[in-house]
Amino acid sequence: MNMRSLTKAFGVLLVMALVLTACPSPSPTPTEAPTKAVEPTPTTPPKPTDTPQPTAEAKEVVKVAYVPIMHFAPLYVAKERGFFDALGLDVQLETVKSGTEAIAFLTEGQIDVGAIAVTAGAWNAFNQGLDLRVVAPAALKLMKGDPTKLMVRKDLYDSGEVTTAADLKGRTVAMAGGPGGGGEYLVAKALEGSGLTVHDVEMVKIGNPDMAAAFETGAIDAALMGSPYVAQVMQAGTAVPLVEDMAPGAMTVVFVYSGKFMKERPEAAKRFMVGLMQGTRAMQGDEYLSDENMAAYLKYQKSTEEAIRASTPMLYDPNLNINEESLRDVERVHRENGRTDYTDPVPMENVVDYSWQRYALMILGPYQQ
């Protein structure tokens, strides 16, 4: 029996269990201290029990807005390998350019889940008490050798004009999302210690897939780039790394639930988290570059198989632990850069809801290392 059949089978048992048992809705502010995400040791994901697939008519629609980058690959894998289908969910993915764009849709209840960077706009929303919560991490920053790098034009580096972060003063630096975005947080971290802040460079908002062309034409001096785009520009010989490992272990991209989704459809919210955790576990170790996973990666973000294989594998916690300390640092940087409309730190009970991740962990059990 293949993994798809096994996963579909598990889904029906879970759906039936949710219908036949009175499972209480998750509480929004659990009291347990958060657990920091650690780099997992790869192994094989658990295999659920066999049972028939739910009919298409029984599937519940879940709308997800996502930024098309590898950071959210567990979402693509869960969608394409049928994990969501087997749980009775019709997950519909809609692209957005940045987390800021997705926040408006989330707060209005137009989408159920956002796969986004934690932008200044998100912090403003949390501070205002808007009804949305961080429920799981996406890709985490590696402690060393992280694939997200601050890249600089190779001709500038070779000429000696830009060899350190301090040399970027007054120069154009591209990042997805622009001021207050997730990219700006990492650029700010890259500039720490150089005597510069984000206000000392000229920021340009460019989507990740378009940065390679901007380097080629000389339209930008530097750019914050992630996998697999770093590999693309290095292979093209147009850019080289300037600053690496800007925020080791950081959680800068997340999955967010809308309040409407949590309150009105908690059972679907639980099942979505189970499927997402399954997708994350299906990417561990050698399975990261499996044919099934590769097809999912290529369907939802612009890149090539060669670039993905050449890139450093990204880190995804198979237990989806939320790193609250990292979130606090992201908030601090945006606030100190003057990107928020408030001055005091946001209470974390306005930001995080651990209960959905804990539910999925209860269903699937801790990842066996």
Side-chain angles (χ1 to χ4, degrees), residues 33 46 49 51 134 143 152 178 187 196-197 220 238 261 309 321 334 360:
T49 312
T51 197
V134 172
M143 296 304 294
V152 66
V187 171
L196 303 181
T197 72
I220 58 175
T238 55
F261 187 47
R309 290 187 181 279
N321 291 307
H334 285 312

Side-chain angles (χ1 to χ4, degrees), residues 12-258:
V12 167
L13 287 182
L14 177 60
V15 173
M16 293 174 65
L18 290 170
V19 172
L20 295 174
T21 61
C23 184
S25 297
S27 57
T29 55
T31 55
E32 272 184 52
T35 305
K36 291 184 183 178
V38 296
E39 296 189 21
T41 301
T43 186
T44 305
K47 297 182 178 181
T49 312
D50 188 27
T51 197
Q53 179 188 11
T55 63
E57 291 75 18
K59 290 176 185 171
E60 186 170 356
V61 173
V62 176
K63 293 183 179 181
V64 182
Y66 76 103
V67 179
I69 53 178
M70 275 293 290
H71 293 70
F72 304 111
L75 175 67
Y76 317 149
V77 170
K79 167 73 173 173
E80 290 305 301
R81 293 185 63 169
F83 300 145
F84 290 135
D85 286 339
L87 292 164
L89 299 177
D90 175 13
V91 173
Q92 301 177 358
L93 306 187
E94 303 173 10
T95 61
V96 291
K97 292 181 180 178
S98 69
T100 302
E101 183 179 340
I103 289 297
F105 298 132
L106 282 163
T107 55
E108 293 169 6
Q110 295 181 26
I111 61 169
D112 304 308
V113 184
I116 62 174
V118 194
T119 65
W123 290 110
N124 287 332
F126 292 134
N127 183 66
Q128 293 164 16
L130 296 184
D131 207 3
L132 63 158
R133 293 291 184 274
V134 172
V135 294
L140 302 168
K141 299 301 173 190
L142 295 175
M143 296 304 294
K144 188 174 183 181
D146 189 79
T148 299
K149 307 177 191 298
L150 184 62
M151 305 294 289
V152 66
R153 263 184 19 230
K154 191 172 186 299
D155 62 309
L156 293 176
Y157 187 84
D158 289 345
S159 69
E161 291 182 67
V162 181
T163 58
T164 69
D167 297 326
L168 289 175
K169 185 173 183 178
R171 292 188 175 273
T172 56
V173 179
M175 61 198 81
E184 187 182 75
Y185 166 74
L186 291 175
V187 171
K189 298 294 284 186
L191 295 174
E192 281 185 354
S194 71
L196 303 181
T197 72
V198 293
H199 301 293
D200 295 311
V201 299
E202 183 183 344
M203 289 178 292
V204 180
K205 181 179 177 180
I206 299 180
N208 285 278
D210 301 320
M211 290 181 185
F215 269 129
E216 213 169 303
T217 61
I220 58 175
D221 297 321
L224 184 80
M225 304 182 76
S227 174
Y229 306 108
V230 165
Q232 283 183 277
V233 295
M234 290 184 70
Q235 288 170 357
T238 55
V240 296
L242 181 67
V243 182
E244 303 182 63
D245 300 328
M246 294 156 280
M251 186 178 90
T252 61
V253 284
V254 297
F255 292 94
V256 177
Y257 278 0
S258 73

Side-chain angles (χ1 to χ4, degrees), residues 70 227-229 231-232 235 288-299 301-312:
M70 275 293 290
S227 174
Y229 306 108
Q232 283 183 277
Q235 288 170 357
Y288 184 85
L289 295 176
S290 70
D291 291 341
E292 283 185 295
N293 287 352
M294 185 64 68
Y297 305 156
L298 295 176
K299 182 170 181 177
Q301 49 90 50
K302 295 179 181 179
S303 185
T304 65
E305 182 172 343
E306 293 74 19
I308 293 174
R309 290 187 181 279
S311 300
T312 303

